[in-house]
Amino acid sequence: MSMLIEEGRTEAMAAARFAGPTLQLIRGAVAENLRRMRTGGPVMAVVKADGYGHGALAVASAAVDAGAEWLGVTDVAEGAVLRGGGIEAPILAWLHPAGIDVVAAVRNRIDVAVGSVDELAELIDDAGVAGLVDEGARVRVHLHLDTGMARGGCPVRDWDRMLQLARRGRDAGLLRIVGVMGHLPQADLADPRANVPWVMRLQHARDTALRAGLAPLIAHLGATSAALSDPSTRFDLVRVGAGLVGIDPSRTVELAPAGRFTAPVVHSAEVDAGTPVGYGGAHVADRRTRISVLGVGYADGIPRELSREACVEIGGRRHRVIGRVSMDQIVVDTGDASFPRGSVATVFGPGGIAPTVQEWGDWAGTIPHTIVTGIGARVARTVA
Ligand SMILES: *Cc1c(COP(=O)(O)O)cnc(C)c1O
């Protein structure tokens, strides 16, 4: 008797529980995309913004296992997390929103890019104060040149001063100058002509650095779009991020979708024609139909501003999102189909029926990058 109750209870509990919103990283797709973007030389897998939303360590390890030689992040702390997760490949951090922690950079073997004379001077000061020379440790530095964006990187007119200072830091035993880098402004344009001035500018900057006695150096410039479309931008290394998770900013190459974003049906109902659905009655049912509520909303990264085409896949078919997107839920019109609680809806994913991240970007009037990086913290991250 008590045995039966136990069993009955376990079943009832199993029926009341199901997976919440989940973003699953498809490692095989990362590997395939990396191969597509390999251009002969080494590849840096960029995993900033938590691996474009898919989990930095998970994307990094999938990329390294598929042969990525380098990893790229925004700051030293992000790199330290990768080291903590067992990543051994060289790591470069380039933006430093909280400044550069030289000690953490050296301890975690993280290269840093610097993009101004001031930033380099501060780095040298900090390295001196940290007493690195006594340990025989040097900060590994990439000199970041502005290649046409005026958003980051040393302006051309300061480049000679940058080189002089870099040499002083090296001669003082504080720095090892490892590379020179730029970043292209035309990320979503597969037009090699647009890149010509910036390729020439980086070539020239590298040559002057070599003449200033800073050999050996690696030079790097291109990201996903350039790696896929413009061999002249390749230099010694390409830095690819969006492409790893299946986004081609230039929309010219079909990459493998590397994420499957699913959410459960938490409620289903039949509604009559004329029934307002969701906040403000922004949608009114135009016929008797069935609806399903999914437990995922704008707090999870579903954009609130969506066109009427937005849909999800449930049971092998697409169903339109209706009404306002709420913080924790969206409603879909499933027509004649009825889906029980716990049914799995695919917000985006591979396979052709489920929407793509690119479609979500279009429906929200944005780029797919903002969709993936906007996926909220309570969406579980898993790996396939
Ligand atoms: C984000 C970033 C990249 C990667 O760009 P994708 O277009 O996502 O491949 C490369 N380099 C720098 C400096 C970046 O900030």
Side-chain angles (χ1 to χ4, degrees):
M1 179 70 185
S2 76
M3 186 68 181
L4 273 179
I5 291 171
E6 275 304 302
E7 277 179 18
R9 212 174 124 181
T10 313
E11 253 170 50
M13 281 175 63
R17 297 277 294 150
F18 41 77
T22 302
L23 177 60
Q24 181 183 60
L25 174 73
I26 303 160
R27 281 171 56 92
V30 174
E32 187 182 329
N33 293 331
L34 192 87
R35 277 194 295 276
R36 296 283 301 271
M37 291 183 289
R38 186 175 285 289
T39 53
V43 180
M44 176 185 291
V46 177
V47 297
K48 63 192 183 189
D50 197 25
Y52 292 58
H54 291 65
L57 187 56
V59 176
S61 69
V64 167
D65 290 350
E69 288 85 353
W70 282 77
L71 289 159
V73 290
T74 298
D75 70 5
V76 170
E78 283 179 285
V81 170
L82 299 181
R83 285 280 179 256
I87 297 287
E88 289 296 327
I91 298 175
L92 171 65
W94 53 69
L95 191 63
H96 323 299
I100 299 173
D101 181 338
V102 257
V103 174
V106 170
R107 296 255 185 284
N108 291 289
R109 291 170 289 123
I110 295 164
D111 293 15
V112 295
V114 293
S116 72
V117 171
D118 286 352
E119 196 180 9
L120 184 57
E122 287 165 18
L123 180 69
I124 291 171
D125 282 352
D126 277 9
V129 171
L132 298 178
V133 182
D134 303 338
E135 301 177 28
R138 291 169 182 257
V139 188
R140 290 169 49 94
V141 174
H142 299 234
L143 303 175
H144 182 182
L145 174 75
D146 174 23
T147 47
M149 250 204 279
R151 183 205 71 173
C154 174
V156 174
R157 64 173 170 278
D158 294 343
W159 188 246
D160 286 340
R161 279 171 61 217
M162 187 90 153
L163 295 179
Q164 284 162 25
L165 193 56
R167 212 168 47 186
R168 243 186 286 149
R170 182 200 62 186
D171 293 345
L174 297 169
L175 310 183
R176 183 177 314 283
I177 308 301
V178 177
V180 293
M181 68 178 276
H183 190 47
L184 291 167
Q186 278 81 12
D188 51 1
L189 240 179
D191 179 8
R193 278 170 312 182
N195 298 329
V196 170
W198 319 125
V199 169
M200 288 175 60
R201 185 181 279 188
L202 189 68
Q203 274 166 354
H204 184 252
R206 178 189 54 189
D207 292 345
T208 55
L210 292 175
R211 276 202 299 278
L214 292 172
L217 283 177
I218 57 170
H220 44 107
L221 177 66
T224 294
S225 168
L228 287 170
S229 64
D230 183 0
S232 77
T233 60
R234 288 173 187 168
F235 289 89
D236 304 314
L237 182 67
V238 292
R239 306 182 306 262
V240 298
L244 285 182
V245 296
I247 297 168
D248 170 23
S250 70
R251 305 182 80 153
T252 53
V253 178
E254 281 274 309
L255 295 167
R260 183 182 287 113
F261 185 7
T262 54
V265 171
V266 294
H267 175 76
S268 285
E270 194 170 61
V271 296
D272 290 324
T275 306
V277 177
Y279 282 120
H283 175 87
V284 176
D286 57 1
R287 65 196 193 296
R288 171 178 273 259
T289 188
R290 291 174 190 275
I291 59 168
S292 283
V293 180
L294 308 184
V296 69
Y298 60 75
D300 306 297
I302 304 291
R304 192 167 175 283
E305 310 300 330
L306 281 177
S307 70
R308 288 174 48 82
E309 289 85 61
C311 61
V312 301
E313 178 268 328
I314 318 175
R317 278 178 47 204
R318 289 186 169 204
H319 305 280
R320 221 157 56 75
V321 177
I322 55 171
R324 296 239 169 94
V325 172
S326 301
M327 186 180 290
D328 310 315
Q329 53 208 299
I330 54 176
V331 181
V332 294
D333 183 341
T334 61
D336 296 336
S338 160
F339 296 103
R341 254 170 76 74
S343 301
V344 177
T346 304
V347 177
F348 61 73
I353 298 171
T356 61
V357 179
Q358 185 68 59
E359 285 179 294
W360 277 97
D362 292 343
W363 295 332
T366 181
I367 56 174
H369 309 59
T370 70
I371 303 293
V372 289
T373 58
I375 295 173
R378 69 183 170 185
V379 175
R381 271 40 174 205
T382 63
V383 175

